[in-house]
């Protein structure tokens, strides 16, 4: 029955509150955030940045904030089945295999929803950075990680240098994000 | 400077990941979710329910999912300064005082954003249930709490009966939510 | 029935073991102490300081240690219903509203005890610093917080400067406490 | 220097907030209380029970509540050095050895306090149940443990039957405590 | 330099103490064990079972306990890089991909050790169940999981039925393990 | 019945996953490892070091790695009943009393195993450092503690200097361990 699938999905999504972000665990952060914590953070960053960007008058066309929020809410949903595979697994599991696994997980999770196909397309915008909104969530996803990283450092965490080093090699899609990242970096203790 | 205020806001919002939902603490749930966990959950429920409702063809007009998502992301933001005041405080702090405190917190937090006023209006839609989207987030906020409540019970938590009892006295704004709640209740161990 | 109220109170007070001190959470301390932890610490500081002060021969009259201990044990009891409202809430909830809420919570909690009225008066001595014993618990409450703050810093926590800054503006009721505070500050890493 | 010893003691006592009560760990309670949590709980039970007992008019002489509170605050202080040795160690470490270790720890911890000798005598009242106040703390110590035990059970913890079984073999010093214990037991889920 | 690689390995292996066993997280177990906890448990079960099996006189040849212990210590080492991929990922990441990822992780981790090749062969005995010792660790790995599962259930955890259901479909390599499993099952609350 | 004793032992050993290493707690490490975490770490260090030592060609006779692993797995087993008595207890509980308590705990725990006597002899090799394998586990036990200590420091923990200071007074049984320790020390932040 339709509603039972819907409930099963809503219950399963709560697991994102329990699954830790493994990147922090690998560095010994003592009370690592959950994937849901990060997903909320990303959605919040998206809301704030879309607002600033749209008000700046410098975009060719305004961003669809609602669409960007939907992408943010969905962007880590596959991890409810896959868990958060940390950076080093890149050298162990081929990128296409991981990407296919995420697609399969997303399809299975959202199967009961009327807009399942559209949700998968939204997630694809994030994965492929194929739309301005997808690009924004990409930037917000990274920026949120570094905001949290700085937050941990301000509280005394150490050994997170390689997060900054790898982010330095990152190209930002929006100059605003590059600017905010530079400021974050300037606040490191 | 504008950007510095923006960064200060983004950093402060991470505190929602660290603040627990106090209702669970009062009942002795051992690893209570964070406010950010719940906010993510609410946004996810909103995304799923808006989709089902819009597809149902039974609404007078389709819900603006993006607007509902924005409300969901903002609905507990004041708690970054106020923390999560649990149910029993209702008898101790007058409702208007709490509501004013939330408004003040929200204003202070969002001051640097171009759409600060609109964000405060969105939050007000939730608080006053003055729009279909505000009503949806209200229902989603409650439903998400009960999904998590059931999740805790399925894992062995006990002593959460009064959550269900007080929810039984709740009127749902959308029949779909009433239906989902009834199903959740039927799944209690 | 009387005894049942007594038991209800004793059970409810255990919630202070589960509720965190929110000031630490806001700064990202990873394993924040409970309110009960702090209440025990305050009672212990009171016991030690009353002893030193009474032995010093410099007080006009000896402190009633037992009375001071009772105040220390009671001083955060209202938080069993109100939770620990952190510093920033001062700007959001008027001081009288909070104080009244605490009084109401205390009255409700202690209603079943024969000395309810006296316990409320003891708590008032703390709140109003109206007796030497009330003043001592005030100082002990602050000092205990800074002992814990230093303890966190010695273990690697950072970002707690504003605790020291705001304490620097504090006037101590007993010169001994001012002296101990200065020594604590000298031990910061 | 005297004050430095005092500060060292106050800092060391904070370790009681970090050390868990091992009895709960052995049974798999997921978020076991600290020794400081329990010490606060015991002091609170003492305050409430002394009040009820003194008001009952059934004692030959009123209890000295302040003295009983001091005993409660001190009763587990040796564990700051010894940690909480759980029940099974009774069969492994002779009772006199443990008792002597506690005395030595207490002496070392309190050495800098003017009333060190009196504090050791107070602790002895608890250990030997040699005064009405010492007996009261004994009862409160046990009762508090069972209040917490019930609290864990009400929240879903299981496997704590042997706490009740061993408490059934306990003789209570005050009929009030026997009565409260019986009521607690009647509230088990 | 050789020694530096050795130290890097020893430091990296400590991450197994921080990484949780994800199967428990998915079911909401509040304080899930670490991978290192489980690896220790497996080694301990191996030591006990090898002893009982060798004493039984029913094996064609005695088990090499030391070899089995080495396998147990190594069996989850690849998870220091891969993390613990839970059951549902079986449907998302092809078994060969996962197995190759584990081999690659093990090779990278052990590269500095003189017996790297032998250690990889030992791990292969476990993976392929190609020796009596590899078979024993397989059985011990499963049995240890169910011992912990029962332990969680005895403490109040619920919702772990599917662990037992999937284990019921498991064939045990040693009748002793089948027998112990049946007894464990009989002890469920 | 034999098997029931075996199962009781296997279940009881899981408590080592829940019991924290108290040395870290005393210094305020926020998420202290379990005894099982450390036991796994020790076994892993033993496996790696035995390999390097045996390959070095500098030992009079090769180490029996399997025997050393068995000792490592057993070396903290008595703590399942005694818990981890931290350093300061040395001044409170006579060494022989503690040692006898450990022997008694080990005997009681292993009573059901055919090789109980041999296991007790293995543990004695560790306690008395009476064999090359016992000496190796002693060194590995210390080294593993310092690897973890460094790991905590690299993540931001402070206040662990006395671990290094007391280790500086330690004589290592194997030059390799002295060398590794010196390198670890050189990596301190």
């Amino acid at each position: 029955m339709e509603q039972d699938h819907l409930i099963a999905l809503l219950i399963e999504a709560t697991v994102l509150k329990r699954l830790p972000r493994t990147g922090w665990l690998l560095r010994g952060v003592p009370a690592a955030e959950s994937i849901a914590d990060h997903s909320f953070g990303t959605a919040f960053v998206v809301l704030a940045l879309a607002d600033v960007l749209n008000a700046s008058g410098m975009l060719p066309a305004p961003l669809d904030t609602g669409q960007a929020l939907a992408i943010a809410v969905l962007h880590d949903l596959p991890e409810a089945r896959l868990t958060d595979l940390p950076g080093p697994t890149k050298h162990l599991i081929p990128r296409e295999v991981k990407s296919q696994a995420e697609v399969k997980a997303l399809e299975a999770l959202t199967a009961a929803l009327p807009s399942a196909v559209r949700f998968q397309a939204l997630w694809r915008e994030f994965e492929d950075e194929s739309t301005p909104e997808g690009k924004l969530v990409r930037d917000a996803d990274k920026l949120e990680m570094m905001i949290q990283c700085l937050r941990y450092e301000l509280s005394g965490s150490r050994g997170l240098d390689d997060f900054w080093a790898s982010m330095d090699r990152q190209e930002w899609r929006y100059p605003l994000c590059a600017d905010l990242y530079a400021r974050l970096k300037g606040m490191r203790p």
Side-chain angles (χ1 to χ4, degrees), chain A residues 78-140:
Chain A
E79 299 189 2
R81 296 225 171 147
L82 259 185
T83 74
D84 177 32
L85 301 181
T89 56
K90 262 183 244 168
H91 309 296
L92 302 171
I93 297 178
R95 196 176 149 70
E96 325 79 66
V97 173
K98 190 187 167 196
S99 185
Q100 279 169 27
E102 289 173 326
V103 169
K104 259 174 105 170
L106 189 66
E107 285 175 2
L109 283 160
T110 56
L113 294 174
S115 301
V117 171
R118 192 169 64 81
F119 288 167
Q120 292 152 24
L122 284 173
W123 183 84
R124 178 59 66 196
E125 290 182 32
F126 163 75
E127 184 72 0
D128 297 345
E129 306 183 36
S130 55
T131 60
E133 287 76 16
K135 284 188 200 350
L136 177 64
V137 179
R138 258 287 178 210
D139 270 10

Side-chain angles (χ1 to χ4, degrees), chain A residues 22-179:
Chain A
T22 50
W24 309 124
L25 291 187
L26 297 189
R27 275 79 174 188
V29 171
E33 63 174 336
S34 68
I35 298 173
D37 279 333
H38 164 70
S39 282
F40 166 74
T42 303
F44 185 72
V45 170
V46 160
L47 184 63
L49 295 192
D51 185 37
V52 172
L53 288 167
N54 281 341
S56 72
M58 294 176 67
L59 298 182
L63 288 155
D64 182 334
T65 306
Q67 180 179 334
L69 286 174
I71 296 173
V73 169
L74 291 168
H75 89 285
D76 276 341
L77 188 60
E79 299 189 2
R81 296 225 171 147
L82 259 185
T83 74
D84 177 32
L85 301 181
T89 56
K90 262 183 244 168
H91 309 296
L92 302 171
I93 297 178
R95 196 176 149 70
E96 325 79 66
V97 173
K98 190 187 167 196
S99 185
Q100 279 169 27
E102 289 173 326
V103 169
K104 259 174 105 170
L106 189 66
E107 285 175 2
L109 283 160
T110 56
L113 294 174
S115 301
V117 171
R118 192 169 64 81
F119 288 167
Q120 292 152 24
L122 284 173
W123 183 84
R124 178 59 66 196
E125 290 182 32
F126 163 75
E127 184 72 0
D128 297 345
E129 306 183 36
S130 55
T131 60
E133 287 76 16
K135 284 188 200 350
L136 177 64
V137 179
R138 258 287 178 210
D139 270 10
D141 181 43
K142 303 288 186 206
L143 199 61
E144 207 281 331
M145 181 170 69
M146 299 318 294
I147 292 164
Q148 185 58 56
C149 189
L150 176 65
R151 194 67 199 77
Y152 286 137
E153 289 184 335
L154 293 173
S155 303
S157 281
R158 293 294 173 267
L160 303 173
D161 294 334
D162 58 346
F163 275 84
W164 298 97
S166 85
M167 210 46 61
D168 283 348
R169 293 187 299 271
Q170 161 92 7
E171 268 184 62
W172 298 91
R173 303 310 173 220
Y174 290 89
L176 171 64
C177 296
D179 178 43

Side-chain angles (χ1 to χ4, degrees), chain A residues 5-15:
Chain A
H5 282 118
L6 178 55
I7 281 185
L9 165 62
L10 298 180
I11 291 177
E12 187 170 357
T14 65
V15 84

